[in-house]
Amino acid sequence: MRERQLIPYFDKEKPFFLFQNRGSGLMCPSENTPLILNSQNFLHARNLLGQEFEHILFDARTTLNLDALAIAIGTLKAGGTLVLWLDSKDHIDLDSRRWSGVEKGIITPNFNRHFYRLLQSFLFLSEHSTPSFIGGRIGPPLRNHHQSPTIEQQNIIQKILTSPADVAILTAKRGRGKSALLGMLSDEIKHKKCWLTAPNKSAVKTLQDFAKQPIIFIAPDDLCQQIQQDPTQYQQDWLLIDEAAMLPLPVLHQLVSTFERIVISTTMHSYEGTGRGFLLKFLANLHRTFQQFELIEPLRWAKGDKLEKFIEALLLLEAEDNFIQPEYDPQTAMQIRQISQSEIVKKIVDFYGLLSLAHYRTTPLDLRRLFDAPQQRFYLAENEEYLLGGLWLMQEGGFQSMALIEKICRGERRPQGNLVVQSLAFQANLPQACQLHSLRISRIAVQPKWQQHGLGQQLIQTLIEQNDVDFISVSFGYTEALFHFWRKCGFVLVQISSYKEASSGCYSMIMLRPISVAGECVVKKAQVYFQRNFPFSFHPLKKKFTFPLDCQLTDDDIHILKNFAFFHRTLFSSIGAIRRLMAISDVQHCPLLMDYCQRKEKDVQLMGGKKNWLKQCRLEVAHLLTQNNIV
C-alpha cells in the first residue's frame, strides 16, 4: 500500500493545487473536490465514521478540533492526502471555547508546542515550514472493502464460533477490519437468530456491507426495554454489539445478561475515550464466561503508517498502555504534593495515562484542558519511581456581579465554566455559592493495584488541609460505592439530577465538603434544601434517600416559584415549592399540574409539544401565586 500524506499548509489561498488528481495534472475545485472539514462542520465529523476518502482538506486556521482531526485521519485511504491548513501566528483557538471555561476562548501555547514538535519529528514540517509530500503520487482509487476475510480475521471468526465462552470480546485499533469481521461472522452463524446493536445505527454501515444477509438492528435502549419485559425471548439467540465501549456500562451489562452468545467489539486507543480502562471496569462486573480476541494488522493503510503513529502521539493514545503499574507496597515512602500546571505539562504522558486507566471516558477534550485551560490545580501521590494517584481540580466561584448571579438563578444566563456553583445557584436557589471561592474535583485517579488501600482518602485529606477555599465540590455518576466513598471523605449530598447521564448511564450527584465558616453555611443550606425538597419529587432514587416531609411554604419557596413562573427555572427543581403551594390553594384551574403530581401520563404533543406544555405549567403556577396574593 502507498503511504498516506499529511501536508501542513500556511498560505491564505485555498490549497486545492496540493491535491494530485489520480496520477496526472493538478486538481481543481470542480473535479474530484476533496472532503472539506472546518469549524462549521467539525461537530458532525462523527458521521464520517465507516467511510473512506482519498483527499481531505482540514481547515484548522481558527479552530483545531482534535476529535475531528482524528476522525479525518481515520477515514483517509492508503495513498490519500490530508492537507492541514494552519495559521502560523499566535491566535485564540476557538475550539477552546468548548473546554477552557472562557467564553471568548484562549491562546493555547502548551498544546501548540506539543503539536508543532510532533509535526517536525514526523517530518511533516521542515524547519522553514515548507509543505512537502510524504510518499508518491496518488494512484487509482482503492477498493472500498476487502470482500473476503484475511487470514487473521478468518482465524478469529473460527475461534469465536467454536469458543465455549458466553461472551467474545474483540478489540482492535481503527482500520483493522473489526466491523467487517462482525459482518462476516454473522454469515457463519447457522440455525440461530442474530441481532445487532450499536450506539449509532449509521455507524454500522461497514458491518452491514460485509454481511451477505441483512442483520436485524435494534437500538440499545429498545433492546434493554424488551429484555426487561421478557428476558427469556433471546435465550437461544446471538447478539453482536459494535463499539460497545460507547455504551453506558449499566446498559452493556443488561445487554449481555440474557443472550446465548454475545460478541462485543470495541476500539482500543480510540479518540472517543475508550481504552483498556473500559475493559477493566466492564470485566469487573461481568458474571459470564468470556474470551478476548485482538486484531493487529491494519487493512485500510500500511503497517507502520506514519499518520497513525502521528495521531497516536498527538492524542497520547499509547499513554495508557505504557503507564507503569507497580504492585501495592504498604512500606513504600509516598509523598502527596500540589504541583503547577507547567509541571503537569512536563508529566503529561504519565498523568494522562493514569487518568485514562482510571476513567476510560478520558478524551482529547480533557487533554486540551490539561495543557492550557486556566484556573486548574493538581495534586500528585508519588513514590521515588512511580506516579500512584492524582487529583485534578477546577477553581470555581468568586463572582462579583450580583446582577449576573440573579440571571443565573433565573436561568437567563449560563456562563462558561463554574459548573457546580452555577448548578447550586440555579437548582438550589443558592446565589451565595457563586460568590464564595471553591474547588471542584474534576477527577480523582488511583493506580488500579493501589485502590482500596486508602490512597484516595489521603489525597482528599491533603487537599482539605492545604486549601483555604470556602468549600470543595464533586459531581459524579451515582453508584453506591462512589457515594459511600465521598461520604467517608466528609462530603454531604446536595443534588441528584433528574435524568441519567448519556455517558455513564447513571444519575449525576453533587456532594460538598465545607472548609470555611462561610462555606459551612452554604453547604448546610444546600443540604437542607435538598432534604426538604427531594421527598416531593418523583425521582426513581427517592426510596434510597428518605427525609421527613416539610409542607410549610417559606419565603425561599416563594422566590423559587416566581423564578419558575416568570423565568426559566426547571419544573424538577421547583416541584417541592409547587406542591407546597398547591396544598394551600384551590387547584381546580390547574389541570396540568394536577395530572403531573398524580403521575397521569399525558401526550404532551396534544398540547403543542413539551415546550408549550411547560409554558402552560408556568402559567398555572402564576395563577396560584395571584390567587394567594403572593404576586
Side-chain angles (χ1 to χ4, degrees):
M1 291 186 187
R2 292 182 176 88
E3 286 190 52
R4 301 186 297 169
Q5 305 175 72
L6 184 148
I7 306 174
Y9 180 78
F10 294 92
D11 289 348
K12 292 182 179 180
E13 294 184 8
K14 283 190 176 181
F16 287 109
F17 65 90
L18 290 176
F19 294 99
Q20 294 170 297
N21 186 19
R22 298 191 178 185
S24 63
L26 297 177
M27 179 178 162
C28 301
S30 59
E31 55 178 1
N32 199 17
T33 302
L35 169 71
I36 299 176
L37 290 172
N38 54 37
S39 58
Q40 295 181 343
N41 59 17
F42 281 155
L43 296 182
H44 302 292
R46 188 176 299 275
N47 297 333
L48 302 175
L49 290 172
Q51 303 180 56
E52 291 182 308
F53 301 94
E54 195 167 355
H55 306 293
I56 300 175
L57 171 59
F58 192 95
D59 186 352
R61 289 172 296 167
T62 62
T63 306
L64 180 52
N65 184 306
L66 288 188
D67 305 87
L69 179 60
I71 289 170
I73 289 175
T75 60
L76 187 68
K77 290 181 179 182
T81 304
L82 186 147
V83 173
L84 187 56
W85 199 357
L86 300 166
D87 184 348
S88 59
K89 298 177 182 177
D90 285 339
H91 64 280
I92 289 175
D93 184 346
L94 297 183
D95 186 64
S96 65
R97 295 185 297 188
R98 293 193 300 148
W99 47 261
S100 67
V102 179
E103 291 194 56
K104 293 182 179 179
I106 60 173
I107 296 173
T108 58
N110 293 325
F111 179 78
N112 288 348
R113 279 192 290 271
H114 170 66
F115 179 63
Y116 283 103
R117 178 181 60 80
L118 289 174
L119 282 178
Q120 288 188 347
S121 66
F122 279 88
L123 304 180
F124 295 130
L125 192 64
S126 71
E127 293 182 4
H128 305 290
S129 301
T130 303
S132 60
F133 286 94
I134 307 297
R137 298 164 72 86
I138 297 172
L142 300 171
R143 288 193 307 162
N144 284 335
H145 305 292
H146 297 266
Q147 299 299 336
S148 57
T150 64
I151 294 175
E152 185 183 31
Q153 287 175 324
Q154 186 60 50
N155 287 339
I156 291 178
I157 288 173
Q158 290 305 314
K159 288 178 181 178
I160 290 175
L161 290 170
T162 58
S163 172
D166 300 332
V167 181
I169 301 172
L170 175 64
T171 61
K173 295 182 181 180
R174 289 215 175 274
R176 266 63 182 174
K178 170 176 51 63
S179 296
L181 185 151
L182 289 187
M184 292 182 284
L185 171 67
S186 69
D187 293 328
E188 301 296 326
I189 299 171
K190 309 296 185 184
H191 313 300
K192 296 283 185 179
K193 184 176 282 189
C194 184
W195 301 79
L196 169 65
T197 193
N200 188 340
K201 186 176 182 179
S202 62
V204 297
K205 181 180 182 301
T206 300
L207 190 155
Q208 298 276 18
D209 286 343
F210 278 88
K212 295 176 183 177
Q213 301 296 325
I215 312 175
I216 307 168
F217 180 88
I218 183 168
D221 290 344
D222 293 340
L223 186 52
C224 284
Q225 189 174 10
Q226 292 189 23
I227 290 172
Q228 289 174 349
Q229 292 171 353
D230 180 12
T232 63
Q233 61 182 311
Y234 298 113
Q235 286 183 347
Q236 305 299 316
D237 299 346
W238 281 63
L239 175 64
L240 309 182
I241 308 176
D242 201 14
E243 295 299 354
M246 298 299 293
L247 295 173
L249 282 175
V251 170
L252 193 56
H253 281 297
Q254 187 167 16
L255 293 177
V256 302
S257 65
T258 183
F259 286 82
E260 180 181 2
R261 296 288 305 277
I262 304 101
V263 182
I264 289 174
S265 81
T266 192
T267 304
M268 292 290 104
H269 297 178
S270 172
Y271 38 83
E272 296 101 334
T274 55
R276 302 196 185 278
F278 156 73
L279 286 181
L280 287 175
K281 287 182 168 55
F282 173 63
L283 295 178
N285 292 295
L286 179 63
H287 303 298
R288 301 191 66 173
T289 57
F290 68 92
Q291 187 173 356
Q292 292 181 241
F293 305 91
E294 184 173 9
L295 280 167
I296 304 296
E297 296 297 320
L299 297 182
R300 294 214 298 261
W301 44 77
K303 188 174 182 179
D305 177 78
K306 191 176 291 188
L307 262 180
E308 182 178 54
K309 296 294 183 184
F310 168 73
I311 202 67
E312 286 177 353
L314 182 66
L315 272 59
L316 303 185
L317 297 181
E318 300 279 357
E320 183 183 355
D321 282 354
N322 295 335
F323 184 64
I324 300 174
Q325 301 179 48
E327 296 294 329
Y328 173 68
D329 179 6
Q331 305 302 319
T332 190
M334 185 186 66
Q335 177 188 18
I336 297 177
R337 63 189 180 100
Q338 182 177 357
I339 70 168
S340 66
Q341 187 171 14
S342 60
E343 289 180 275
I344 275 291
V345 170
K346 293 175 183 176
K347 295 175 174 287
I348 193 76
V349 175
D350 277 350
F351 191 66
Y352 194 72
L354 174 66
L355 290 177
S356 300
L357 198 61
H359 303 269
Y360 72 88
R361 294 285 187 180
T362 303
T363 68
L365 215 64
D366 298 308
L367 184 63
R368 297 298 307 269
R369 189 179 290 121
L370 284 170
F371 266 114
D372 288 297
Q375 307 297 313
Q376 301 185 95
R377 296 190 193 179
F378 305 93
Y379 283 81
L380 298 185
E382 303 166 297
N383 62 16
E384 290 185 357
E385 297 180 84
Y386 305 114
L387 174 60
L388 305 175
L391 277 174
W392 178 13
L393 306 120
M394 308 298 295
Q395 296 171 215
E396 294 198 342
F399 284 53
Q400 301 294 319
S401 170
M402 289 306 300
L404 174 59
I405 294 174
E406 181 61 26
K407 288 181 178 179
I408 291 171
C409 291
R410 292 174 174 177
E412 295 177 322
R413 288 287 307 275
R414 187 66 189 264
Q416 288 283 334
N418 292 280
L419 300 181
V420 166
V421 298
Q422 289 196 74
S423 183
L424 292 173
F426 178 54
Q427 302 283 359
N429 194 38
L430 275 174
Q432 307 96 314
C434 289
Q435 295 175 283
L436 299 184
H437 293 84
S438 62
L439 287 172
R440 172 171 57 86
I441 299 172
S442 176
R443 300 284 173 85
I444 180 171
V446 174
Q447 286 254 16
K449 295 175 183 178
W450 286 68
Q451 293 174 9
Q452 307 300 321
H453 294 290
L455 180 52
Q457 291 182 64
Q458 290 180 55
L459 280 163
I460 299 299
Q461 188 58 40
T462 302
L463 170 67
I464 293 168
E465 292 171 356
Q466 294 186 4
N467 278 280
D468 57 359
V469 294
D470 294 299
F471 63 90
I472 299 169
S473 67
V474 64
S475 176
F476 59 94
Y478 168 73
T479 65
E480 288 193 13
L482 279 176
F483 174 69
H484 289 307
F485 169 78
W486 289 112
R487 192 167 64 174
K488 193 183 296 184
C489 292
F491 286 70
V492 297
L493 176 61
V494 299
Q495 200 172 112
I496 302 178
S497 66
S498 59
Y499 54 87
K500 292 182 178 180
E501 292 180 321
S503 59
S504 68
C506 302
Y507 291 100
S508 179
M509 277 189 171
I510 292 178
M511 298 182 75
L512 307 178
R513 172 66 158 83
I515 302 293
S516 70
V517 174
E520 184 85 48
C521 181
V522 164
V523 171
K524 186 63 178 176
K525 284 184 177 180
Q527 185 181 24
V528 168
Y529 175 88
F530 172 73
Q531 294 182 358
R532 186 169 179 266
N533 289 283
F534 195 63
F536 286 95
S537 74
F538 306 101
H539 202 285
L541 295 181
K542 190 166 72 170
K543 292 182 180 179
K544 287 184 175 289
F545 304 95
T546 55
F547 309 109
L549 281 178
D550 180 354
C551 298
Q552 183 68 40
L553 192 70
T554 66
D555 289 342
D556 279 345
D557 288 328
I558 292 171
H559 190 76
I560 288 167
L561 291 165
K562 289 180 179 179
N563 279 347
F564 175 78
F566 307 117
F567 298 103
H568 305 285
R569 188 177 174 84
T570 65
L571 178 60
F572 174 75
S573 64
S574 309
I575 193 62
I578 290 172
R579 293 184 71 181
R580 291 187 193 96
L581 178 63
M582 292 174 68
I584 62 170
S585 306
D586 178 1
V587 294
Q588 61 177 327
H589 299 298
C590 302
L592 298 185
L593 291 176
M594 287 291 292
D595 286 345
Y596 179 79
C597 292
Q598 293 172 9
R599 311 308 291 154
K600 292 182 179 178
E601 296 292 334
K602 293 289 184 180
D603 187 353
V604 296
Q605 297 305 320
L606 298 177
M607 289 168 266
K610 188 172 182 179
K611 188 175 181 179
N612 190 61
W613 173 83
L614 184 59
K615 181 180 178 181
Q616 296 303 314
C617 288
R618 296 187 193 279
L619 290 174
E620 290 186 0
V621 170
H623 170 76
L624 293 180
L625 289 172
T626 303
Q627 180 190 114
N628 287 277
N629 298 315
I630 294 174
V631 178

Coordinates of all heavy atoms in Angstrom, one line a residue, residues 5 9 20 31 72 92 99 125 218 231 293 313 424 480 508 528 548 551 569 604 609 613 627 629:
Q5 N -0.4 10.8 3.1 CA 0.3 12.0 3.1 C -0.4 13.0 4.0 O -1.6 13.1 4.0 CB 0.5 12.7 1.8 CG 1.1 11.8 0.7 CD 1.1 12.4 -0.6 OE1 1.9 13.4 -0.8 NE2 0.3 12.0 -1.5
Y9 N 0.0 23.4 5.7 CA -0.2 24.5 4.7 C -0.5 25.8 5.4 O -1.3 25.8 6.3 CB -1.3 24.1 3.7 CG -1.5 25.2 2.6 CD1 -0.6 25.3 1.5 CD2 -2.6 26.0 2.7 CE1 -0.8 26.2 0.5 CE2 -2.8 27.0 1.7 CZ -1.9 27.1 0.6 OH -2.1 28.0 -0.4
Q20 N -3.1 16.0 -5.9 CA -2.8 15.5 -7.3 C -4.0 14.6 -7.7 O -4.6 13.9 -7.0 CB -1.6 14.7 -7.2 CG -0.3 15.5 -6.9 CD 0.9 14.6 -6.6 OE1 0.8 13.8 -5.7 NE2 1.9 14.7 -7.5
E31 N -13.3 19.4 -10.0 CA -13.2 18.0 -10.3 C -12.5 17.2 -9.1 O -11.5 17.5 -8.6 CB -12.3 17.8 -11.6 CG -11.0 18.4 -11.5 CD -10.2 18.1 -12.8 OE1 -10.7 17.4 -13.7 OE2 -9.0 18.5 -12.8
A72 N -10.8 12.4 10.7 CA -10.4 12.6 9.4 C -9.3 11.7 9.0 O -9.3 11.1 7.9 CB -10.0 14.1 9.2
I92 N -6.2 33.1 19.2 CA -7.1 32.3 20.1 C -7.6 31.1 19.3 O -8.1 31.3 18.2 CB -8.3 33.2 20.5 CG1 -7.8 34.3 21.5 CG2 -9.4 32.4 21.1 CD1 -8.8 35.3 21.9
W99 N -13.9 23.9 26.1 CA -13.3 23.3 27.2 C -12.5 24.1 28.2 O -12.1 23.7 29.3 CB -12.3 22.2 26.7 CG -11.4 22.6 25.6 CD1 -11.5 22.4 24.3 CD2 -10.1 23.3 25.8 NE1 -10.4 22.9 23.6 CE2 -9.6 23.5 24.5 CE3 -9.4 23.8 26.9 CZ2 -8.4 24.1 24.3 CZ3 -8.2 24.5 26.7 CH2 -7.7 24.6 25.4
L125 N 6.8 18.6 8.7 CA 7.0 20.0 8.8 C 8.5 20.3 8.8 O 9.2 19.7 9.7 CB 6.3 20.7 10.0 CG 6.3 22.2 10.0 CD1 5.4 22.7 8.9 CD2 5.7 22.6 11.4
I218 N -31.3 -3.4 16.3 CA -32.2 -2.8 17.3 C -31.4 -1.9 18.2 O -30.3 -2.2 18.6 CB -32.9 -4.0 18.1 CG1 -33.9 -3.4 19.1 CG2 -31.8 -4.9 18.8 CD1 -34.7 -4.5 19.8
P231 N -37.0 -11.5 29.5 CA -35.6 -11.9 29.3 C -35.4 -13.2 28.6 O -34.4 -13.5 28.1 CB -35.0 -11.8 30.7 CG -36.2 -12.0 31.6 CD -37.4 -11.4 30.9
F293 N -10.2 -11.5 22.0 CA -9.5 -11.6 20.8 C -9.1 -10.2 20.3 O -9.8 -9.2 20.6 CB -10.4 -12.2 19.7 CG -11.1 -13.5 20.1 CD1 -12.3 -13.5 20.7 CD2 -10.4 -14.7 19.8 CE1 -12.9 -14.8 21.1 CE2 -11.0 -15.9 20.2 CZ -12.2 -15.9 20.8
A313 N 0.5 9.7 18.9 CA 1.4 10.6 19.7 C 0.8 11.9 20.1 O 0.9 12.4 21.2 CB 2.7 10.8 18.9
L424 N -25.8 25.0 41.8 CA -26.3 25.3 43.1 C -27.2 26.6 43.1 O -28.2 26.7 43.8 CB -25.2 25.5 44.1 CG -24.4 24.2 44.5 CD1 -23.2 24.5 45.3 CD2 -25.3 23.2 45.2
E480 N -23.5 3.1 44.4 CA -23.4 3.1 45.8 C -22.0 3.1 46.3 O -21.7 3.8 47.3 CB -24.1 1.8 46.3 CG -25.6 1.8 46.2 CD -26.3 0.7 47.0 OE1 -25.6 0.0 47.8 OE2 -27.5 0.4 46.7
S508 N -26.6 11.8 38.0 CA -25.4 12.6 38.4 C -25.7 13.2 39.8 O -26.8 13.6 40.1 CB -25.2 13.8 37.5 OG -24.1 14.6 37.9
V528 N -30.0 21.2 53.5 CA -31.3 21.4 54.0 C -32.3 21.5 52.8 O -33.4 20.9 52.8 CB -31.4 22.6 54.9 CG1 -32.9 23.0 55.2 CG2 -30.7 22.4 56.2
P548 N -37.9 13.5 56.2 CA -39.3 13.9 56.6 C -39.9 15.0 55.7 O -39.1 15.8 55.1 CB -39.0 14.4 58.0 CG -37.6 14.8 58.1 CD -36.9 13.9 57.2
C551 N -44.1 20.6 54.8 CA -45.1 21.2 54.0 C -45.3 22.7 54.2 O -46.2 23.3 53.6 CB -46.5 20.5 54.2 SG -46.4 18.7 53.9
R569 N -36.6 28.7 35.5 CA -36.3 27.6 36.4 C -37.0 26.3 36.0 O -38.1 26.3 35.5 CB -36.7 28.0 37.8 CG -36.3 27.1 38.9 CD -36.7 27.6 40.3 NE -36.4 26.6 41.3 CZ -35.2 26.5 41.9 NH1 -34.2 27.3 41.5 NH2 -35.0 25.6 42.8
V604 N -48.0 15.1 25.6 CA -47.7 16.5 25.5 C -47.8 17.0 24.1 O -48.0 18.2 23.9 CB -46.4 16.8 26.1 CG1 -46.3 16.5 27.6 CG2 -45.3 16.1 25.4
G609 N -46.7 20.2 22.2 CA -45.3 19.8 22.5 C -44.9 20.1 23.9 O -45.6 20.8 24.6
W613 N -46.3 22.8 26.7 CA -46.9 22.2 28.0 C -46.2 22.8 29.2 O -46.9 23.2 30.2 CB -46.6 20.7 28.0 CG -46.9 20.0 29.3 CD1 -48.2 19.5 29.7 CD2 -46.0 19.6 30.3 NE1 -48.1 18.9 30.9 CE2 -46.8 19.0 31.3 CE3 -44.7 19.8 30.5 CZ2 -46.2 18.5 32.5 CZ3 -44.1 19.4 31.7 CH2 -44.9 18.7 32.7
Q627 N -53.7 34.0 43.1 CA -54.8 33.5 43.9 C -54.5 33.7 45.4 O -55.3 34.0 46.2 CB -55.1 32.0 43.6 CG -56.2 31.4 44.4 CD -56.3 29.9 44.2 OE1 -56.1 29.2 45.2 NE2 -56.6 29.5 43.0
N629 N -52.4 35.9 46.6 CA -51.9 37.3 46.9 C -50.4 37.4 47.1 O -50.0 38.1 47.9 CB -52.7 37.9 48.0 CG -54.2 38.0 47.8 OD1 -54.6 38.5 46.7 ND2 -55.0 37.7 48.7

